[in-house]
Amino acid sequence: MSERAQFATKMGVIAASVGSAVGLGNIWRFPYEAGMHGGGAFISIYILCVILLGIPVIIAEFIIGRSTHKNANSAIKTLAPGSKFRFLSYIGIIASTMILSFYSVVAGWIAEYLFLSITGSLNGHTPQEYSEIFSSLVGNPWRSLIWTYLFLGANFLILRKGIQKGIERISNLLMPLLFILLIVFSINSLLLPKATEGLKFMFMPDFSQVSPGMVVGAMGQAFFSLSLGLTCLLTYASYFSNKTPLVRSATIIALLDTCVAVLAGVIIFPAVFSFGAEPTAGPKLVFEVLPNIFQQMPGGYFWSLAFFVLLFFASVTSTISMSEIFITFFTEEHNMSRKKATWLNTIIAIVFGSLCALSFNVLGDIKLFDKNIFDLFDYVSSNILLPAGGFLLAIFVGWIMDKKVVKEQLTNNGTLNVKLMKPIIFCIKYIAPAAIALIFLYVIGLFKHIEALFI
Ligand code: TRP
C-alpha cells in the first residue's frame, strides 16, 4: 500500500472526526427520536449509551485503525490473520451505503430549505403553513428526487475532485460558527412562552415510559450520532499519528457531539410546545418547527440562511466520511480506481436514495413491520447493523487482539499515563458487548422479565 498521510495536528484529528460525527444525526435525528420516545427517559438512556458503549467503541475503532494504519479489512487481516472478523468491513460497507441513501434524502430537504431561505419564501408563514410547505415537498416525488440527486451530485463532485480535504478545512472553520448559532438559538428558545414545558419534557425523565423500542432507539442513536460501528472512525484513526492521545480524543469527540445534540433539543422542544407541534411527529419534526423559530427572531431571513448553509456543510462532511469507507475498501482491497469506486458508490446511493425519497409519496404503501422504505433503511442500519458492528469491534479489541498492543495504543507506547485504563479495558471487554447483546435480547423479547422490572 502507498505511503499514507497523517493528520498534522491534534486539532486536525479531532476536527475531522467531529466533522463526521456532527451532522443531521444531532440536529434532525436526535430531536425526533427523543420526541417519539417520550423525551427525558430516552435522553438519559442515550447519555448512558454514549458513556458506556459509545466512548469504549470509539476507542476500540481507534486502537485497530491506529495500530495498523490500514483500512478495516487489511487492519483485521494484519492483527488476526484468517479471522472471520473481516466481516466487519462488509457490515461497514452495507450499512454506510444504506445510511448514505436515506441521509441524502434528508440532506436534500436541507438543500431545498436553504434554497427557500435564499429566496425569502421561508419567511412570514403560520405554523400550519410551515407544516404544509414540508408536506408538499416530501409529497411531490419529483421535487424530493431532484433535491436528493443534487445533494448526491455535490457529494460526488467533492469526492471526485479530491477536494474533500478542502471541504473539511472549510467546515472546520464553519463548525464553531454552527455551534455559536446553536447557542444563540437555544437562548432564543428559552425565552419562548412554553420553554419550561419543553425543558421539562427533555430533562424530567419519566422512566415508566421505558420500552424495548426506546432502549434500542437510544442505543442506535448513540451509534449513529457518533459515526460508530461501521469502521468509519477506524479508517480515520488509520491516519492518526502515534502521538494522538486516543482516550482523550475519543472523550472530546463524544462530548462535543453530545453537546450539539442536547443543544438541538433545547432549541426544538420549547418551540414544539410554543408553536403547537407534536413531539411525536417523527422525521418531519425539525422541518416543521425550525422555520417558526427563525421567523419570530429579529433578522429571521439571515438566521435561517446561516443555519441551513452551516447544516448543509455539516451534512456533507458526514456523507464524505460514509462514502470514504466504501471508496477506501474498493480501491485498497480490490484495486478499483478511485473514479470507478466513487461512481459505484454514487449510483448505488441514487438507486436506494430514490426508493427512500419515493417512500413518502408514490411508494408510501410499501410497508414492512409498519415501516416505509425510508424508515426501514434507517432502522436496520442504525438500530441493528451499527450496534452489531460495535459489538464485534469491542469483542475483537477486548478478546482477540494482543493485549500488549492494546495497552501500547492506549498509552502511546507507555508515554501517556492513562488513569482510567482498567475501567476502559473493562468496558471494551465486558460492558459494551454485554450491554449490546442484552439490549438485542430485550428487543427480541427473550428478556420479558427485564421489562417487568421496569413496569
Ligand atoms: N454521525 C453522522 C451524523 O450524526 C452520520 C454519520 C457519518 C455516520 N458517518 C457515519 C453514521 C458512519 C454512522 C456511521 O449525522
Side-chain angles (χ1 to χ4, degrees):
M1 205 187 314
S2 58
E3 226 1 68
R4 293 178 129 236
Q6 284 194 350
F7 286 111
T9 60
K10 260 187 232 162
M11 261 318 281
V13 170
I14 292 181
S17 314
V18 171
S20 165
V22 172
L24 297 174
N26 311 61
I27 290 166
W28 159 73
R29 201 175 185 281
F30 176 79
Y32 102 66
E33 282 282 325
M36 278 204 318
H37 291 113
F42 175 93
I43 294 176
S44 317
I45 297 175
Y46 173 77
I47 291 176
L48 212 61
C49 286
V50 170
I51 298 170
L52 291 180
L53 311 177
I55 296 178
V57 179
I58 301 181
I59 296 174
E61 289 208 21
F62 279 1
I63 290 175
I64 303 175
R66 211 260 308 258
S67 64
T68 54
H69 295 292
K70 287 182 174 153
N71 71 53
N73 203 35
S74 313
I76 288 170
K77 269 195 248 166
T78 310
L79 292 169
S83 131
K84 289 271 184 304
F85 279 82
R86 273 184 306 131
F87 269 123
L88 269 169
S89 42
Y90 301 117
I91 294 186
I93 288 157
I94 296 170
S96 67
T97 318
M98 287 177 85
I99 295 176
L100 179 63
S101 306
F102 73 83
Y103 203 94
S104 302
V105 175
V106 184
W109 299 340
I110 298 290
E112 173 148 19
Y113 270 58
L114 171 58
F115 177 73
L116 294 178
S117 302
I118 295 171
T119 61
S121 36
L122 211 56
N123 259 333
H125 297 284
T126 61
Q128 175 63 25
E129 284 168 344
Y130 284 124
S131 165
E132 284 160 12
I133 289 176
F134 185 72
S135 314
S136 71
L137 160 63
V138 297
N140 182 325
W142 289 112
R143 261 172 84 184
S144 309
L145 287 177
I146 285 170
W147 287 103
T148 306
Y149 298 160
L150 282 176
F151 181 81
L152 280 169
N155 188 56
F156 173 82
L157 281 179
I158 292 167
L159 292 163
R160 265 310 292 140
K161 298 270 173 213
I163 51 170
Q164 58 272 45
K165 287 274 166 308
I167 295 292
E168 271 166 13
R169 219 165 295 141
I170 298 173
S171 88
N172 293 343
L173 292 175
L174 297 180
M175 284 288 172
L177 280 184
L178 178 64
F179 203 71
I180 294 170
L181 212 64
L182 293 178
I183 291 176
V184 172
F185 292 159
S186 47
I187 295 171
N188 174 73
S189 279
L190 292 176
L191 299 173
L192 289 172
K194 293 203 176 155
T196 347
E197 227 171 291
L199 292 181
K200 269 194 195 149
F201 180 77
M202 274 186 81
F203 296 116
M204 302 230 320
D206 169 7
F207 286 109
S208 68
Q209 296 207 9
V210 174
S211 67
M214 169 200 278
V215 178
V216 79
M219 172 170 73
Q221 176 60 26
F223 277 90
F224 187 91
S225 191
L226 295 169
S227 300
L228 217 49
L230 47 76
T231 71
C232 185
L233 294 182
L234 188 161
T235 311
Y236 274 15
S238 69
Y239 298 104
F240 286 4
S241 92
N242 291 334
K243 294 213 179 79
T244 308
L246 298 189
V247 174
R248 194 177 335 139
S249 306
T251 314
I252 294 175
I253 293 162
L255 200 69
L256 284 176
D257 188 72
T258 307
C259 282
V260 174
V262 171
L263 274 179
V266 172
I267 296 168
I268 296 290
F269 289 112
V272 164
F273 292 100
S274 303
F275 299 113
E278 282 300 327
T280 50
K284 64 183 179 178
L285 182 71
V286 298
F287 289 91
E288 291 188 351
V289 173
L290 280 170
N292 289 297
I293 302 181
F294 300 142
Q295 84 142 2
Q296 57 74 228
M297 291 174 79
Y301 177 85
F302 163 79
W303 292 116
S304 82
L305 188 60
F307 175 78
F308 286 114
V309 168
L310 295 177
L311 190 52
F312 185 82
F313 272 94
S315 317
V316 176
T317 46
S318 298
T319 51
I320 290 175
S321 77
M322 295 170 208
S323 295
E324 278 295 347
I325 306 171
F326 185 98
I327 295 171
T328 313
F329 178 79
F330 284 101
T331 51
E332 293 188 1
E333 296 298 306
H334 293 280
N335 284 328
M336 198 183 263
S337 70
R338 191 173 166 90
K339 184 174 171 188
K340 243 194 202 154
T342 315
W343 268 112
L344 188 62
N345 181 242
T346 305
I347 290 169
I348 297 176
I350 285 180
V351 173
F352 291 113
S354 302
L355 294 178
C356 292
L358 295 177
S359 65
F360 291 99
N361 38 70
V362 290
L363 301 181
D365 289 335
I366 301 183
K367 288 201 172 161
L368 201 64
F369 306 115
D370 209 28
K371 290 185 168 21
N372 65 23
I373 301 172
F374 178 100
D375 293 334
L376 265 180
F377 267 56
D378 185 349
Y379 191 91
V380 171
S381 53
S382 314
N383 292 0
I384 300 174
L385 295 177
L386 300 186
F391 175 83
L392 295 176
L393 285 158
I395 296 276
F396 186 78
V397 172
W399 298 88
I400 314 275
M401 253 182 94
D402 186 350
K403 283 192 191 56
K404 224 178 84 211
V405 178
V406 172
K407 285 201 178 135
E408 274 167 17
Q409 286 301 317
L410 287 173
T411 60
N412 290 357
N413 287 322
T415 57
L416 286 180
N417 176 16
V418 180
K419 288 196 201 75
L420 292 176
M421 176 112 109
K422 286 225 169 85
I424 289 168
I425 294 183
F426 187 78
C427 273
I428 295 179
K429 202 163 173 178
Y430 300 103
I431 306 276
I436 296 170
L438 284 178
I439 292 173
F440 276 148
L441 292 177
Y442 178 41
V443 173
I444 299 168
L446 286 179
F447 265 54
K448 278 276 184 284
H449 52 284
I450 292 189
E451 204 175 336
L453 282 179
F454 286 106
I455 293 169

